[in-house]
């Protein structure tokens, strides 16, 4: 849960955090193919019309560790979304030929999570005078 008028810290758990993801080598018709990719950008949408871009997945703990921060003005349930952009390359080799080709950036499908923002109000209770 978040609170209206206070910053919320956003980050991704279980993200490669800039680490290369490698698939392969795979064998295709006598060629060897290896694909390597890594996240290069995080496109956040906060469900209230505001967006942000970050170059890191962030981590929990503090605003300094977050991928991004956002302050909601009103309370409600907001669909927070993030798109991870990937870049990398593939290398194929075989029959005396080796070539590496750059890929990306390619955007991963946006993932959404509902985020509840509440409001806290102080209320003065009592009406008697104090001595």
């Amino acid at each position: 849960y978040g609170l209206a008028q206070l910053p919320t810290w956003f980050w991704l758990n279980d993200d490669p955090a800039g680490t290369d993801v490698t698939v392969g080598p795979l064998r295709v018709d006598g060629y060897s193919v290896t694909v390597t990719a890594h996240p290069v950008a995080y496109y956040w949408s906060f469900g209230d019309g505001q967006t942000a871009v970050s170059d890191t997945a962030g981590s929990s703990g503090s605003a300094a560790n977050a991928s991004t921060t956002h302050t909601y003005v009103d309370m409600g349930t907001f669909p927070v979304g993030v798109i991870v952009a990937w870049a990398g390359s593939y290398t194929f080799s075989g029959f005396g030929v080796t070539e590496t080709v750059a890929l990306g950036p390619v955007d991963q499908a946006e993932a959404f999570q509902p985020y509840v923002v509440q409001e806290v109000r102080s209320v003065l209770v009592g009406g008697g005078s104090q001595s």
Side-chain angles (χ1 to χ4, degrees):
Y1 293 98
L3 294 174
Q5 303 295 332
L6 292 176
T8 299
W9 310 332
F10 291 94
W11 68 90
L12 294 178
N13 285 332
D14 302 323
D15 187 79
T19 304
D20 284 352
V21 175
T22 301
V23 177
L26 306 170
R27 304 285 179 210
V28 179
D29 290 334
Y31 288 92
S32 174
V33 179
T34 302
V35 178
T36 303
H38 57 275
V40 294
Y42 301 83
Y43 300 97
W44 294 89
S45 61
F46 301 109
D48 63 354
Q50 300 297 310
T51 61
V53 178
S54 174
D55 61 358
T56 178
S59 61
S60 63
S62 71
N65 295 339
S67 177
T68 190
T69 61
H70 179 66
T71 301
Y72 288 92
V73 176
D74 298 310
M75 64 182 191
T77 300
F78 300 91
V80 174
V82 64
I83 296 170
V84 180
W86 294 80
S89 63
Y90 70 90
T91 301
F92 65 93
S93 60
F95 304 104
V97 176
T98 298
E99 188 168 344
T100 299
V101 178
L103 299 172
V106 175
D107 292 344
Q108 185 174 333
E110 188 165 16
F112 288 95
Q113 179 71 34
Y115 184 68
V116 177
V117 177
Q118 299 178 336
E119 186 174 71
V120 176
R121 293 184 181 196
S122 59
V123 177
L124 179 61
V125 179
S129 62
Q130 292 187 350
S131 315

